[in-house]
């Protein structure tokens, strides 16, 4: 069984999702859905995503982390990577979604930078990020991590890791 790494920055801890995170995870997950879904269907879809994340780590060696702020063990969002198709390594997608109670966007910046630094050191390779064109904060976050416009509207791509001088461990 693969261990999910824990990453600490000066502001956040990225850690494995825990069973007690599910209710807050479901709130975060619901923000990613398009269209109206009945509550019980959202819970079912969120549970599938929650379990899929655990399997993602075991099969590919990457996945999403829970974001928690220091001094607070509650899930404040999720950040990380997922393969959206069976061609897992060729289609790795990054994402960061915060809980409505998350204190600010700086939390997402810190968590996203730490997750990408880990990916670039441990997994490496091209990444994609789907961004709702109405979400300028997510687009800025992706651009800060080296993504640029892809061939499809809303798809940002990062073919190789950017060279930043201030990444963790450099």
């Amino acid at each position: 069984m693969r261990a999910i790494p824990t990453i600490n920055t000066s502001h956040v801890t990225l850690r494995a999702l825990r069973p007690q995170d599910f209710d807050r995870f479901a709130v975060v997950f619901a923000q990613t859905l398009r269209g109206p879904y009945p509550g019980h269907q959202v819970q079912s879809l969120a549970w599938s995503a929650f379990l899929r994340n655990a399997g993602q780590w075991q099969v590919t060696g990457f996945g999403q982390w829970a974001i928690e702020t220091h001094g607070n063990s509650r899930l404040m969002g999720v950040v990380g990577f997922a393969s959206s198709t069976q061609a897992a390594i060729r289609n790795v997608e990054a994402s960061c979604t915060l809980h409505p109670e998350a204190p600010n966007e700086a939390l997402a910046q810190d968590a996203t930078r730490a997750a990408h630094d880990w990916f670039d050191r441990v997994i490496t390779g091209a990444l994609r990020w789907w961004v709702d064109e109405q979400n300028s904060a997510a687009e800025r976050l992706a651009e800060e991590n080296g993504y640029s416009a892809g061939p499809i509207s809303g798809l940002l791509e990062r073919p190789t890791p950017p060279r930043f001088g201030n990444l963790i461990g450099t």
Side-chain angles (χ1 to χ4, degrees):
M1 178 129 127
R2 292 185 192 209
I4 299 170
T6 298
I7 301 171
N8 288 298
T9 74
S10 58
H11 303 293
V12 299
T13 296
L14 305 183
R15 60 164 174 79
L17 290 165
R18 301 174 184 146
Q20 60 268 32
D21 291 328
F22 178 72
D23 289 338
R24 292 182 67 82
F25 175 87
V27 171
V28 170
F29 177 81
Q31 296 177 81
T32 67
L33 296 176
R34 305 258 189 270
Y37 287 90
H40 70 280
Q41 192 173 11
V42 170
Q43 289 287 310
S44 178
L45 291 169
W47 182 244
S48 293
F50 193 79
L51 295 176
R52 197 169 42 250
N53 185 61
Q56 178 83 48
W57 277 105
Q58 296 307 309
V59 172
T60 65
F62 58 83
Q64 290 187 317
W65 287 273
I67 304 169
E68 67 179 42
T69 55
H70 295 295
N72 180 353
S73 62
R74 292 185 311 159
L75 178 138
M76 294 308 259
V78 292
V79 65
F81 311 95
S83 58
S84 60
T85 68
Q86 290 177 343
I89 299 302
R90 291 188 309 253
N91 294 303
V92 180
E93 295 181 3
S95 66
C96 180
T97 308
L98 296 181
H99 191 279
E101 293 175 5
N104 56 48
E105 286 183 28
L107 182 102
Q109 291 170 324
D110 195 36
T112 302
R113 177 60 63 92
H116 279 78
D117 178 49
W118 175 87
F119 187 90
D120 293 343
R121 286 182 293 108
V122 177
I123 303 295
T124 73
L127 291 167
R128 302 165 18 159
W129 193 324
W130 288 98
V131 175
D132 182 338
E133 293 173 334
Q134 309 299 317
N135 190 341
S136 59
E139 192 167 346
R140 272 192 315 278
L141 192 58
E143 288 171 357
E144 289 170 4
N145 283 280
Y147 292 80
S148 57
I152 301 168
S153 179
L155 175 64
L156 301 177
E157 297 181 321
R158 192 182 85 152
T160 59
R163 297 293 171 219
F164 295 120
N166 61 347
L167 289 178
I168 298 167
T170 61

